[in-house]
Amino acid sequence: KAGVTQTPRYLIKTRGQQVTLSCSPISGHRSVSWYQQTPGQGLQFLFEYFSETQRNKGNFPGRFSGRQFSNSRSEMNVSTLELGDSALYLCASSLLGAGNTIYFGEGSWLTVV
Amino acid sequence: GDSVTQMEGPVTLSEEAFLTINCTYTATGYPSLFWYVQYPGEGLQLLLKATKADDKGSNKGFEATYRKETTSFHLEKGSVQVSDSAVYFCALSDNSGGSNYKLTFGKGTLLTVNP
């Protein structure tokens, strides 16, 4: 079956702009989470959604937001972009329940100039 | 809070050498443990996992055993190949409350295998 699909794969934005990234989870997966990967900070949890509700959020400023739709697809938005937001943004999906594997997409590479 | 500490790289080996990447963790509950691999320019792929103490995860010749007494989950492979060159991440999910949604990652170990 299809894996986690993220779009766009690559994008370049200017400081101050906003960006929206999209994620389609594996069919049947209702938990969708987002991670930011940078060389300096590594992989950091952004937030997780289940049944259109944000259940938890990582330690990121309010400029980072997200949402989940009734079909489990998710979007994340970053407003007022800063140079430091340049990163690989990874979406992941899983079935609910302890021990279930979290599957990752290929990511969206964001460069802020 | 939860944390994962893994061996800093880079690690450079010759083909057919033995690989060990150390990983230790701190968690309040009974986490599930994972190794993910990231090839250049790609996302994360699950390599193996273990969900309870003494479980051994294995895949593609890689193995790791969940050791609760030493809070460790070291990755091993008996004979590495050039195609194993990648970044390896150790991670845990805190299952307290039955939720598996959040992974805490180590900083990653870059492995380069030379022919």
Side-chain angles (χ1 to χ4, degrees), chain A residues 39-43, chain B residues 4-6 8 87-90 105-109:
Chain A
Q41 299 299 316
L43 282 150
Chain B
V4 174
T5 303
Q6 67 180 96
E8 300 257 344
V87 180
Y88 292 81
F89 292 93
C90 185
F105 286 91
K107 291 195 175 298
T109 302

Side-chain angles (χ1 to χ4, degrees), chain B residues 63-114:
Chain B
E63 293 183 339
T65 301
Y66 188 147
R67 301 285 189 201
K68 190 170 184 296
E69 64 276 13
T70 55
T71 61
S72 65
F73 193 55
H74 305 321
L75 182 68
E76 296 183 335
K77 186 175 186 183
S79 176
V80 293
Q81 305 301 312
V82 172
S83 57
D84 294 327
S85 298
V87 180
Y88 292 81
F89 292 93
C90 185
L92 69 83
S93 69
D94 183 352
N95 296 319
S96 57
S99 175
N100 67 310
Y101 60 84
K102 176 185 172 184
L103 287 169
T104 300
F105 286 91
K107 291 195 175 298
T109 302
L110 173 63
L111 170 67
T112 301
V113 181
N114 295 318

Side-chain angles (χ1 to χ4, degrees), chain A residues 34-107:
Chain A
W34 289 88
Y35 293 78
Q36 182 196 63
Q37 185 178 21
T38 60
Q41 299 299 316
L43 282 150
Q44 294 185 284
F45 172 77
L46 278 158
F47 29 63
E48 186 258 356
Y49 288 85
F50 180 79
S51 291
E52 303 176 65
T53 301
Q54 185 184 91
R55 297 196 297 175
N56 207 285
K57 190 171 196 266
N59 190 24
F60 280 83
R63 299 185 298 107
F64 292 81
S65 63
R67 59 179 176 166
Q68 186 181 33
F69 302 95
S70 58
N71 61 359
S72 295
R73 193 175 66 83
S74 177
E75 290 180 346
M76 68 161 283
N77 184 77
V78 187
S79 62
T80 319
L81 284 165
E82 301 176 359
L83 295 178
D85 297 333
S86 295
L88 176 64
Y89 290 88
L90 291 162
C91 175
S93 75
S94 70
L95 296 169
L96 202 62
N100 280 310
T101 301
I102 297 176
Y103 295 91
F104 285 82
E106 302 232 316

Side-chain angles (χ1 to χ4, degrees), chain B residues 15-100:
Chain B
E15 208 165 23
E16 299 184 2
F18 184 85
L19 168 71
T20 299
I21 301 177
N22 290 336
C23 172
T24 57
Y25 67 90
T26 302
T28 51
Y30 299 92
S32 295
L33 301 174
F34 304 85
W35 278 100
Y36 283 87
V37 59
Q38 186 173 37
Y39 297 100
E42 298 185 10
L44 298 173
Q45 298 178 25
L46 177 69
L47 183 58
L48 52 84
K49 73 174 186 180
T51 57
K52 62 183 188 296
D54 299 325
D55 268 1
K56 177 187 280 189
S58 60
N59 186 28
K60 300 181 182 179
F62 291 90
E63 293 183 339
T65 301
Y66 188 147
R67 301 285 189 201
K68 190 170 184 296
E69 64 276 13
T70 55
T71 61
S72 65
F73 193 55
H74 305 321
L75 182 68
E76 296 183 335
K77 186 175 186 183
S79 176
V80 293
Q81 305 301 312
V82 172
S83 57
D84 294 327
S85 298
V87 180
Y88 292 81
F89 292 93
C90 185
L92 69 83
S93 69
D94 183 352
N95 296 319
S96 57
S99 175
N100 67 310

